[in-house]
Amino acid sequence: MNPFTAAAFAWQTAFVFTLRSAQLWAEPAEAQARLTGYVLEKQKAFTSGAFAAGQAALSGAGAEAVMAAALAPSHRRVRANMRKIIRG
C-alpha cells in the first residue's frame, strides 16, 4: 500500500469514527442497535480480510500483496460508510 492510500484510509477511518460517535451521542436510544451493527460489520470485514490474506499467502504472493488482500475488505467498508454518512 502506498503512503497516500494509507493516509487516505486513516483519514477516512477517523472521519467515519468521529461522525458515528456524534450520531451515537445525539441519539442514545438507538445506540445499542447501532453499536451491534458496527461490531458485526467489522467482524465481517476482518474475517473476509483474513481469508483473503490466507489465500494470497498460500498462493505464494509477496508480503505486500498479502497485506493488501487483508486490508481490502476493511478499506471498501470504510469508503462505503463514508459515502453513506456524507449522503445523509
Side-chain angles (χ1 to χ4, degrees):
M1 178 182 298
N2 71 49
F4 298 110
T5 302
F9 183 44
W11 183 86
Q12 291 168 346
T13 302
F15 181 78
V16 169
F17 177 80
T18 301
L19 290 181
R20 280 186 163 181
S21 296
Q23 289 173 344
L24 291 171
W25 181 77
E27 301 169 355
E30 298 176 12
Q32 177 83 27
R34 285 185 182 216
L35 287 171
T36 301
Y38 298 161
V39 168
L40 292 174
E41 112 183 337
K42 283 161 187 55
Q43 186 177 16
K44 282 178 60 178
F46 175 81
T47 303
S48 297
F51 280 113
Q55 285 180 322
L58 289 173
S59 70
E64 189 172 326
V66 172
M67 183 180 82
L71 290 175
S74 296
H75 199 186
R76 282 191 301 271
R77 189 72 259 161
V78 167
R79 281 187 310 212
N81 286 339
M82 191 175 88
R83 284 191 304 269
K84 184 177 176 183
I85 288 172
I86 289 173
R87 288 184 194 145

